[in-house]
């Protein structure tokens, strides 16, 4: 009788995939069985990819997508609940998770390249926060959005930060207080997403939009994205003062000189991203 050979366990697929679509990096959440919940490993993987992309001049934009029926169901509640057995009942781990997730969301905002969300299914709690943190969002007509923490005794306080910076206050409060899902068409009406497209076309639409932006001067896009988010936190007078400084610096840039010259001469500009 031949001895049985022990089989090595099958390697687990990566939880975050990265592929290139021309100059666009497509990052795909790949925990479909867990509804792409944002475990600590997923948060760390996303943050690491964003840091890697930040200074890669060959990458001119990012599309954030997901595999499976859900875009993201938010934080991994099973992972969080398991830490209630810790001596501090999980307090340190909960704080570590929320701070790590907040830092990753801010990395999207501070990335000097456009980030476009491609949402094919539900985006709830921190998953909704992830969509709201992106610069632009394309949603399938089958997508829906919710901040349902209130239903389980956990107000969506960190998702609230991004949500309240995307939609009017009363619409944000209704989502936060009721936890009710918002269909894609309504999400577009209140400003949470930019476009609603036929199911199955959201990823291609998001890539096409990112590629359209990639044709612009990377220097100008970087300058503009940073200025957009900074001025939004200022008073009107301070915002205008700051924006005037940015415009002056922008006018001194080589790409602005080239772009304006090309406009006057009716030709296509040649960007140097400087």
């Amino acid at each position: 009788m031949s001895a049985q050979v022990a089989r090595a366990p099958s390697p687990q697929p990566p939880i975050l995939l990265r592929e290139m679509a021309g100059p666009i990096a497509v990052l795909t959440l790949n925990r479909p069985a867990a509804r792409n919940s944002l475990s600590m490993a997923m948060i760390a993987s996303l943050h690491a990819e964003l840091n890697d992309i930040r200074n890669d001049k060959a990458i001119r934009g990012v599309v954030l997508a997901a595999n499976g029926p859900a875009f993201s169901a938010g934080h991994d509640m099973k992972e969080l609940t398991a830490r209630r057995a810790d001596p501090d009942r999980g307090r340190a781990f909960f704080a570590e998770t929320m701070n790590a997730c907040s830092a990753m969301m801010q990395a999207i905002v501070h990335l000097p390249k456009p980030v476009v969300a491609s949402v094919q299914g539900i985006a709830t709690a921190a998953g909704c926060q992830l969509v709201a943190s992106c610069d632009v969002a394309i949603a399938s007509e089958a997508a829906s959005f919710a901040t349902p923490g209130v239903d389980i005794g956990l107000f969506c306080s960190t998702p609230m930060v991004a949500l309240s910076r995307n939609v009017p206050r009363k619409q944000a409060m209704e989502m936060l207080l009721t936890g009710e899902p918002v269909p894609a068409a309504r999400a577009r009406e209140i400003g949470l997403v930019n476009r609603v497209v036929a199911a199955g076309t959201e990823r291609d639409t998001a890539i096409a939009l990112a590629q359209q932006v990639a044709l612009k001067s990377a220097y100008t896009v970087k300058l503009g994205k940073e200025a957009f988010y900074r001025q939004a936190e200022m008073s009107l007078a301070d915002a205008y003062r700051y924006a005037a400084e940015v415009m002056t610096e922008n006018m001194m840039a080589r790409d602005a000189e080239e772009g304006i010259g090309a406009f006057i001469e009716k030709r296509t500009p040649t960007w140097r991203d400087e």
Side-chain angles (χ1 to χ4, degrees), residues 54-55 111-114 217-227:
R54 183 178 184 85
N55 296 317
L111 192 76
K113 308 167 196 249
S217 160
Y219 170 81
T220 303
V221 170
K222 172 185 176 181
L223 196 72
K225 176 174 173 175
E226 179 183 6

Side-chain angles (χ1 to χ4, degrees), residues 103-131:
M104 182 272 289
M105 299 291 179
Q106 291 176 78
I108 294 173
V109 174
H110 296 315
L111 192 76
K113 308 167 196 249
V115 182
V116 183
S118 166
V119 189
Q120 87 288 12
I122 63 164
T124 58
C128 185
Q129 178 187 4
L130 190 59
V131 176

